[in-house]
Amino acid sequence: MRYRADTRATVHTAMLLAMAAVIGYLEIVLLPPFSVPGFKLGLANIAVIIALANVGLARAAIVSLGRVFIVALAAGTLGGPAFVLSLAGACASLALMAVLRRSPAFSVIGWAVAGAAAHNLTQLVAACLLVGTFAPIDLAPLALAMSLPSGLAIGYSARLLISRVPRVSLSAAGR
Amino acid sequence: MTAGDRGVVALVVALTFLWLPSSIASAFAPAAEGVIITSPEGTTTLSLDDEGTYRVEGRSGIVTVRVAGEKAWVVEAPCPDGLCQRSGAARAGRPVICSPNGVSVEVQPGGGGDVLDAVSR
């Protein structure tokens, strides 16, 4: 039974990673860039939040960071500044969502809004380091304002999908 | 939405409004006086009267910045998405940034430089 549960979790994670990678790549290809460096709608984070809720933090990290690598590879930006911005934002977002996940006071909607804000602010800080000036920080109000509707949309979408997807039972070894 | 979620939303809104005055002040700042172009090679400060086309060396190639009509904007840059070229002219509080090349174009507001003074008056 333990091995079947681990296999199920692994397959679940792989499917979420594929979903995140496809959505992330389509966002780059189909949607025009926003005026804040590195900002995107972040629809791929729906998969990350589902992973965080259903299969745990470690596997959510695989989905989040794996998606960054795969999309960068597909877009030809691996190792470049855009990749650095995405990686920094993904790490910060996941870290904050993991902290909020430990408290029952927050639902996936709170995770999503906090994650979106952390993602955007961290990307601006990373842009400051890349450019060597504090100029990108001037875009912080715009970045925060944009993170609110995107975070809410992602949170509500994730909640809807989670309610439709059966929760994966993890063995003690798989958690 | 739980109470904690509402708290997170309120915090994000509060942070946005905390930062907003500096952006609003920049929007109402006196006309810009100078342009600061930062690149991996260093920082160049120009007057908006120094009209012309300036080429700076970025990480991936040459970034071309045009200064004309008291505005500054990126004309050409070797970056994947061309965000800097589509951002339009740099304004006080809204720099134009080319992250892949490490280049930023900032506009310095005029009237003494300290934009917050215009808000507190």
Side-chain angles (χ1 to χ4, degrees), chain B residues 54-74:
Chain B
Y54 300 89
R55 297 159 68 84
V56 294
E57 183 75 39
R59 290 198 189 91
S60 309
I62 302 292
V63 176
T64 307
V65 179
R66 179 120 177 92
V67 179
E70 296 190 350
K71 290 180 188 174
W73 64 96
V74 174

Side-chain angles (χ1 to χ4, degrees), chain A residues 34 81 105-107 110 130 133 135 144, chain B residues 2 4-5 16 59 83 95 100 104 106:
Chain A
F34 291 84
F106 304 98
S107 72
L130 282 175
T133 169
L144 283 170
Chain B
T2 64
D5 296 342
T16 304
R59 290 198 189 91
L83 177 62
S104 76
E106 296 173 72

Side-chain angles (χ1 to χ4, degrees), chain B residues 18-60:
Chain B
L18 273 175
W19 241 304
L20 208 49
S22 63
S23 294
I24 294 173
S26 298
F28 287 100
E33 274 190 352
V35 179
I36 302 171
I37 303 173
T38 307
S39 72
E41 289 191 330
T43 302
T44 305
T45 305
L46 304 163
S47 164
L48 282 171
D49 295 329
D50 295 334
E51 294 196 356
T53 302
Y54 300 89
R55 297 159 68 84
V56 294
E57 183 75 39
R59 290 198 189 91
S60 309

Side-chain angles (χ1 to χ4, degrees), chain A residues 42-98:
Chain A
L43 298 176
N45 291 303
I46 294 174
V48 177
I49 290 173
I50 295 173
L52 199 56
N54 275 4
V55 288
L57 175 59
R59 295 174 193 271
I62 292 171
V63 173
S64 178
L65 302 179
R67 179 255 311 181
V68 171
F69 276 91
I70 292 171
V71 171
L73 198 60
T77 58
L78 189 64
F83 168 73
V84 170
L85 292 180
S86 287
L87 193 62
C91 290
S93 166
L94 186 64
L96 186 55
M97 289 196 292

